[in-house]
Every structure is written in C-alpha cells, then in structure tokens.
Amino acid sequence: MQVRGALSLEFTAEGYTHPSGTVGAGTVITWIDKAGYAVAASWAGTYVRASYVGNMQFENPVPVDTRAVVQARVVHTEGPYVHVQARLVMPSLPGADGGPMVCTECLLVYAAEESGYLVDAPAWVPETEAQRMRDEQANSAKVLRTTIEQGMNALPFPEEAGPNDELVKLCFIAGVGETTIGSTIRASAIMRWIDEAAAICAARWSGSENVVAAFAGGVRFLENIEVGNVVTVDALLVHTSPRAMHVALRVYAAQRHERTPKIVAHSLAVMVVPDDGRAQPVRQWEPESEWSASLEAAAVELVRLRSEAGATWTSSQQRGA
C-alpha cells in the first residue's frame, strides 16, 4: 500500500560511470535527488527547489546492471521547507542485517515555491512513535546544520594555488538539458558537477584514476543557476588522512556579461582510492602557511561535525520504522 508522503523509485545503470565498473557517486546522487524531489513536490503540491542535501556515506558501491531502489519519505516540515529522508538499497544483494544491502542514506531539504516566492507547504503531522522520533530528529538537526553552513561560508579559498596546493577549476555553460521548472538547473546536476570536480582533484593528488567518494553531500544551495550561466566549480584539497583526501568545493555562477560571479553552492567531500574493498594509502599533504593550516583545521572540524550529524540520523532510523 502506498503511504502518503513516501515513495520508491527503481534505477539500473547500464553502463560504466566509474573505472572500477561501479556506479559513480554523481549518478547515485542524481537518483536520490529524483526520488527526494518527487516526494517533496508531491507533498507540497507545488514546485520545490533543493535547499540542502545531507551527508552521504557510501557504505557499499552499486555494481553496474544491479537493480537499485531509492526510498524517500517526508519526515518533517517547517513553513516552506519539506525534510525528506532517503536511502538507496539493492534488493538483490543481502546486507549484514539480513535485509537489502544499503548503499547510502541521507536527509534532503526542499523549499516550496510559487512564481519565485516561498510558500508554506502542508504541515507534516506524525502519526506513529517512529514518525514522531524522526520528526524531532530532523528538527533538532537544524542547529548543527546551521553551524556547519556558517563554517563552510567562512572557509577562505585562494585565488591561485600555491606550489603544494591541489586546486581544480571547472568552467562551463549551464545547458538546457539540466533544467527543471523555471529554467533553473537541477540540484542533482550541481551535485554531479561537485562530485566530478572532487574526483579530478583527488585523482591528480593521488595519481590514481580509481578515485571514489567515501563521503559526499552536505551541499548547501544558496542561489539558483539559470540556463546560460557561466558556472565555475572550485575543488581544493584541504586535508589528507593516511587513506583519505578531504576536498572543499564551491560553485559559482554568473551571467555571461558579468565579471564577478556569485557563490551558489558549497560542499566538502572525502575521497579515497579503493582496492579490493579497502581504501589505499595516499600521499600526505602538509600545509605550508598559517592560512593553509587554519583552513585545514576548519575543514577537519567540519568533517567531524558532518559525521556526527550523519551518525545521529542513522541511529534514530535504526530505532524505528
């Protein structure tokens, strides 16, 4: 029976999107956004735009030609904002708990709009104990999310890379094929661009083509991108652990005649080089200035906060259906 405020969408990747033969993080994110958007728009009864996409820890890769199901459900509303919990499972593969294998799960926030203005969405009223628990968890997570967003806004990006820095800039025109209603670019397209930039940055630093996201998302959307905008995605290596690379990302957009672009989204990703299911050691990055040391410290703290937010949400889900 279909539950109001919940749905499932099925996907199958028929071609390689990653050198390892698995589905790339950008594709997985696209699938999750499609399900999240559908359930949020259905609940709101109007157009919605992505405001925030929470942390995605990629626990298991999705092999090509494997059936994947994205489950999405409304868990909280506040004014125009619809909070959606989503997860991607692979029904044909058994998980550790005996159920379907889980690839990733996250929280997404969409804002209801009409004619370019925010409008209140219908209120979500929990009816079960599990629904009340998820509603309370989503509401309390706002404080931590605000702290993370403030920290991301404060991260100083360099104008040019230093001799020991790994900075990648992608620049292109936003095309009509990536649009949603109102000639704005879909959130899933922006997240795919972010994943691609992070992967290139990590690949250049590690010297390996086989780079995947272990932790992605945490994307805050600040402004819309319109068709024809000049888009720039900056990916900067800000920290390395023995087996992972932390990449800070910012997305800018401007009309063709504008010289100063505005920041439209930001995120922080953790990339690894996998081999037989285990992340491989990576070359270590060392900050060479007071500026880069402070940037690294801030980025490490942001990853800690985001990991904390993800763990809190996961534990609440495990206690109730």
Side-chain angles (χ1 to χ4, degrees):
M1 181 177 68
Q2 180 67 42
V3 179
R4 186 166 182 256
L7 59 77
S8 297
L9 296 180
E10 295 190 10
F11 301 91
T12 302
E14 299 177 350
Y16 285 23
T17 55
H18 189 269
S20 65
T22 59
V23 178
T27 300
V28 171
I29 291 170
T30 298
W31 293 347
I32 289 174
D33 177 60
K34 286 182 178 179
Y37 179 93
V39 75
S42 175
W43 180 263
T46 186
Y47 167 72
V48 297
R49 63 173 176 83
S51 175
Y52 176 81
V53 175
N55 312 308
M56 301 180 189
Q57 295 188 5
F58 296 98
E59 303 170 13
N60 297 290
V62 180
V64 171
D65 291 329
T66 299
R67 174 172 166 253
V69 177
V70 179
Q71 302 166 335
R73 57 189 176 190
V74 177
V75 294
H76 179 72
T77 57
E78 182 175 344
Y81 297 103
V82 181
H83 298 235
V84 176
Q85 185 186 50
R87 70 171 185 169
L88 187 149
V89 300
M90 293 173 284
S92 62
L93 302 178
D97 60 357
M101 182 176 289
V102 177
C103 170
T104 187
E105 55 192 5
C106 69
L107 179 71
L108 309 99
V109 181
Y110 294 88
E113 285 188 357
E114 288 184 3
S115 302
Y117 295 94
L118 295 179
V119 295
D120 286 348
W124 164 255
V125 180
E127 297 178 349
T128 68
E129 183 60 32
Q131 288 176 348
R132 283 189 287 272
M133 178 184 62
R134 289 192 290 268
D135 177 77
E136 293 171 0
Q137 181 62 46
N139 185 54
S140 62
K142 292 185 302 181
V143 176
L144 182 57
R145 189 164 64 246
T146 298
T147 301
I148 293 171
E149 290 172 5
Q150 291 172 343
M152 284 300 301
N153 284 330
L155 283 180
F157 264 53
E159 292 297 327
E160 296 182 1
N164 192 44
D165 293 328
E166 193 65 68
L167 174 63
V168 169
K169 287 181 175 285
L170 304 184
C171 190
F172 46 88
I173 303 294
V176 68
E178 305 285 7
T179 58
T180 183
I181 298 173
S183 296
T184 59
I185 301 301
R186 297 193 306 266
S188 57
I190 299 171
M191 290 186 288
R192 189 181 72 250
W193 297 337
I194 286 173
D195 176 67
E196 290 170 351
I200 294 171
C201 181
R204 288 183 176 180
W205 180 259
S206 65
S208 172
E209 283 287 318
N210 188 24
V211 174
V212 299
F215 178 98
V219 183
R220 178 69 169 94
F221 298 97
L222 306 173
E223 302 280 351
N224 288 331
I225 300 177
E226 298 181 349
V227 171
N229 280 177
V230 179
V231 179
T232 304
V233 185
D234 285 357
L236 176 67
L237 183 75
V238 293
H239 174 67
T240 54
S241 64
R243 297 177 184 271
M245 296 160 282
H246 296 57
V247 181
L249 298 120
R250 283 188 176 174
V251 183
Y252 301 86
Q255 295 185 31
R256 301 183 189 209
H257 69 277
E258 295 175 330
R259 293 184 178 274
T260 304
K262 59 186 177 182
I263 182 169
V264 295
H266 54 60
S267 180
L268 190 64
V270 178
M271 313 298 291
V272 298
V273 180
D275 187 23
D276 293 330
R278 179 175 173 80
Q280 297 304 296
V282 296
R283 180 165 61 101
Q284 295 300 286
W285 176 82
E286 296 291 341
E288 295 183 340
S289 66
E290 183 177 334
W291 166 83
S292 58
S294 64
L295 175 61
E296 180 184 39
V300 170
E301 175 63 9
L302 285 170
V303 169
R304 185 192 69 79
L305 288 172
R306 283 185 165 164
S307 297
E308 179 181 320
T312 300
W313 183 261
T314 302
S315 63
S316 73
Q317 179 183 346
Q318 291 172 342
R319 291 194 297 267

